[in-house]
Amino acid sequence: MADNKKQLLFSDFPPVSTQEWMDKITTDLKGADFEKKLIWKTNEGFNVRPFYRNEDLEPLKYLGSLPGEFPYVRSNSTKSNEWKVRQEISVTDIQSANKKAHKLLNNGVDSLGFHFDGEALISESNLVALLKGIVVEAIEINFTTSHGNKKLVEALTAALKQLKCKAADVNGSINLDPLGKLTITGSSCSTIESLFDYTKEVVEAAKAFPEFKTISVNARHFNNAGSTIVQELAFGLSMGAEYLNQLTTRHLTIDQSANTIKFNFGVGSNYFMEIAKFRAARLLWAKI
């Protein structure tokens, strides 16, 4: 019934062609330059028109795709499309970090990021204490450390088993990104080959937890350095592709390699362009 009413309503209005829109705009501009007045020129080098029609969408074949369908512009999840609220916690004392985590969770946060400065506090017993009273399967847990990523993964794996967490239900990540660190510092503590050998070891150490990402591609470094959206996508996806190349060279399958990678993009103030960036990132990564 609702569709019939809608059809009857729109039948009262004749269709308006694109040319008619343009003629009306030209008249209203009273001789002013259309390009200068109404075209938005983005930093990425393309122009945004003041209006778009259905005919502009015809070349975009992926618009009808569903969640879980290639090229995954609506995510690869078919269960939900929820965005998590994440809060970072600097871990200098295990008990106080656990207390802060509980407070944040009670206030609505559903993704925690624990930051360890080095290896001193990384151990199975400390991680058990850090996650005490937290239903790990109900949230996302993320970890960052300047050193000791493999030790962290091994300790976390043991701690989660001790806490009797279901491996398949644990979601989270380790912020291991040797290429990102090399990008922002220009140096490395070992050879590039050794870095990627170590990266593979970390990936294999976390294989018991299929939804846990051990490699983070921090494209946000480029965003923070002032890149355009196109540059951030290009450099970030190139880093992701290099991780795929290096891991498959070390005899991991493409599925094993891709499933362990997580992208961290920056978010600027240009609302619709940033949404377009995330969709473009999904599409381009699927093609890679």
Side-chain angles (χ1 to χ4, degrees), residues 42 89 95 107 271 277 280:
T42 74
I89 300 173
Q95 282 68 38
N107 287 337
Y271 187 74
K277 177 177 74 178

Side-chain angles (χ1 to χ4, degrees), residues 83 220 223-224 232 264-271 274-275 277-278:
W83 289 63
R220 60 189 175 88
N223 181 285
N224 293 338
E232 182 184 4
N264 294 322
F265 289 99
V267 180
S269 60
N270 196 334
Y271 187 74
E274 293 296 339
I275 291 175
K277 177 177 74 178
F278 292 139

Side-chain angles (χ1 to χ4, degrees), residues 117-175:
D117 186 14
E119 303 181 51
L121 292 176
I122 297 174
S123 69
E124 178 184 343
S125 59
N126 276 346
L127 289 175
V128 169
L130 180 65
L131 300 174
K132 183 179 179 181
I134 296 174
V135 183
V136 174
E137 297 94 334
I139 64 169
E140 183 182 80
I141 52 172
N142 306 277
F143 297 87
T144 299
T145 180
S146 54
H147 296 91
N149 284 281
K150 185 179 178 182
K151 179 181 178 181
L152 176 55
V153 171
E154 291 172 341
L156 180 62
T157 301
L160 291 173
K161 287 180 180 177
Q162 189 178 150
L163 292 168
K164 294 182 169 51
C165 296
K166 295 181 180 179
D169 295 333
V170 176
N171 286 274
S173 67
I174 300 289
N175 190 30

Side-chain angles (χ1 to χ4, degrees), residues 56-83:
D56 297 306
L57 302 180
E58 290 176 1
L60 307 179
K61 304 302 181 184
Y62 58 80
L63 291 181
S65 63
L66 298 174
E69 290 183 356
F70 185 88
Y72 308 109
V73 290
R74 295 181 62 191
S75 92
N76 57 358
S77 173
T78 57
K79 296 178 181 178
S80 71
N81 192 27
E82 296 178 354
W83 289 63

Side-chain angles (χ1 to χ4, degrees), residues 4-212:
N4 290 337
K5 287 183 178 179
K6 187 187 294 184
Q7 290 174 0
L8 288 172
L9 173 65
F10 282 101
S11 67
D12 293 336
F13 298 91
V16 181
S17 68
T18 300
Q19 187 57 52
E20 288 175 296
W21 273 109
M22 288 302 301
D23 290 342
K24 176 60 176 171
I25 291 171
T26 301
T27 300
D28 290 347
L29 284 174
K30 298 178 181 179
D33 189 294
F34 176 82
E35 290 280 335
K36 292 181 179 179
K37 283 284 186 180
L38 298 179
I39 296 294
W40 171 30
K41 301 181 185 301
T42 74
N43 291 331
E44 285 68 35
F46 58 87
N47 299 334
V48 180
R49 302 202 304 274
F51 72 94
Y52 289 88
R53 310 292 302 276
N54 277 337
E55 62 206 55
D56 297 306
L57 302 180
E58 290 176 1
L60 307 179
K61 304 302 181 184
Y62 58 80
L63 291 181
S65 63
L66 298 174
E69 290 183 356
F70 185 88
Y72 308 109
V73 290
R74 295 181 62 191
S75 92
N76 57 358
S77 173
T78 57
K79 296 178 181 178
S80 71
N81 192 27
E82 296 178 354
W83 289 63
K84 296 187 181 298
V85 179
R86 177 168 166 175
Q87 179 68 44
E88 308 300 313
I89 300 173
S90 179
V91 183
T92 55
D93 176 79
I94 297 297
Q95 282 68 38
S96 61
N98 173 263
K99 184 177 179 180
K100 184 174 182 179
H102 278 276
K103 181 179 179 180
L104 292 170
L105 293 171
N106 288 330
N107 287 337
V109 166
D110 53 9
S111 176
L112 298 171
F114 296 106
H115 287 248
F116 289 87
D117 186 14
E119 303 181 51
L121 292 176
I122 297 174
S123 69
E124 178 184 343
S125 59
N126 276 346
L127 289 175
V128 169
L130 180 65
L131 300 174
K132 183 179 179 181
I134 296 174
V135 183
V136 174
E137 297 94 334
I139 64 169
E140 183 182 80
I141 52 172
N142 306 277
F143 297 87
T144 299
T145 180
S146 54
H147 296 91
N149 284 281
K150 185 179 178 182
K151 179 181 178 181
L152 176 55
V153 171
E154 291 172 341
L156 180 62
T157 301
L160 291 173
K161 287 180 180 177
Q162 189 178 150
L163 292 168
K164 294 182 169 51
C165 296
K166 295 181 180 179
D169 295 333
V170 176
N171 286 274
S173 67
I174 300 289
N175 190 30
L176 172 62
D177 183 16
L179 284 178
K181 187 174 182 180
L182 184 61
T183 298
I184 60 176
T185 64
S187 62
S188 171
C189 59
S190 62
T191 66
I192 298 299
E193 289 299 311
S194 297
L195 283 177
F196 286 119
D197 289 341
Y198 179 73
T199 301
K200 181 199 174 186
E201 292 175 11
V202 176
V203 170
E204 292 182 322
K207 63 183 178 183
F209 297 90
E211 297 303 317
F212 208 80

